[in-house]
Each structure stands twice: as structure tokens, then as C-alpha cells.
Amino acid sequence: MPAGTLYRGREGMWSWVAHRVTGVLIFFFLFAHVLDTALVRVSPEAYDSVIATYKNPIVNLMEYGLVAAILFHALNGLRVIAVDFWSKGTRYQRQMLWTVVGIWVVLMAGAFYPVLQHTLTTLFGK
């Protein structure tokens, strides 16, 4: 660690990295979503064909990943706001991060079946 820096790494660093990565992933999803939705104006048949390719287990797992990214990004964003605007935010940033992670895990566990229902029934039957 360079002399004179306050940077310590640890949870704060990984939270920062995860926030940036999830933000970029969400941006690329939105970009692809705008492109495939715009396709309906060009050719409704091509749009239907593209949408049909999305109905497979791999894409369904990617949708679950998208839910995970959006949920973490949103919860961590609230934590960042608290750290920035609450006078005691920096003191409790580590506890807030672990609270965010705990809430995220609980919500992702609850989203498992509703999001992956199509894939689970395709692979394992009803």
C-alpha cells in the first residue's frame, strides 16, 4: 500500500468492483434489449425468431443472473447513498454491506423457482 493513502481494500473494494461490474452487465442487457425490441419495426418475423431463441435453459439462467445483478446493484446503491449522505455511514459501511449481501441472498433464494420455473420443468418435468 503506498504511503499516505487511506485505501485498505477488503469488503469496500469488492463492493465497489461488484457495483461497477453489475452496472456494466445491466447496461449491456439494456442495449441488447433495445436492439431486439427495435427489430419488431423492421421485421416482425425476425423479431419473433429472435424472441424464440431466448426460450431455452441457457438464456433462462442468464435471466436469473440478470435478476441477481439488478438486485445487488440496487441494494448496494442504497448502501452507497447511506454511506455518502448519512453522517455515520462510513463508520457502519461494512455492516451495511453484509446486510445488503444477506438481503440479496434471501431475495435470490426466493426468486430461484419463479425465474427458473421454465428451465426446471423443461429439464426435470412437472
Side-chain angles (χ1 to χ4, degrees):
M1 175 168 56
T5 183
L6 294 176
Y7 179 74
R8 302 272 191 265
R10 300 182 44 112
E11 296 93 349
M13 177 195 67
W14 292 113
S15 159
W16 181 88
V17 168
H19 197 73
R20 278 15 177 225
V21 168
T22 56
V24 169
L25 292 173
I26 294 165
F27 171 79
F28 282 120
F29 163 76
L30 290 173
F31 182 72
H33 180 62
V34 167
L35 288 179
D36 68 14
T37 303
L39 193 58
V40 77
R41 300 278 292 163
V42 176
S43 168
E45 296 80 21
Y47 172 79
D48 290 339
S49 174
V50 168
I51 296 302
T53 63
Y54 293 162
K55 295 178 181 176
N56 69 62
I58 303 284
V59 174
N60 194 222
L61 288 172
M62 290 170 54
E63 290 171 342
Y64 188 68
L66 177 65
V67 170
I70 291 170
L71 192 57
F72 178 80
H73 194 81
L75 292 171
N76 193 54
L78 293 173
R79 185 190 70 86
V80 168
I81 290 169
V83 168
D84 287 347
F85 293 107
W86 181 32
S87 62
K88 297 179 184 177
T90 53
R91 183 179 313 151
Y92 295 110
Q93 71 88 18
R94 182 172 292 141
Q95 292 90 338
M96 288 189 291
L97 175 61
W98 288 112
T99 301
V100 162
V101 169
I103 293 169
W104 179 79
V105 166
V106 168
L107 292 174
M108 287 308 298
F112 182 80
Y113 187 74
V115 174
L116 295 175
Q117 180 179 6
H118 175 71
T119 295
L120 294 172
T121 56
T122 300
L123 295 177
F124 304 112
K126 294 187 182 210

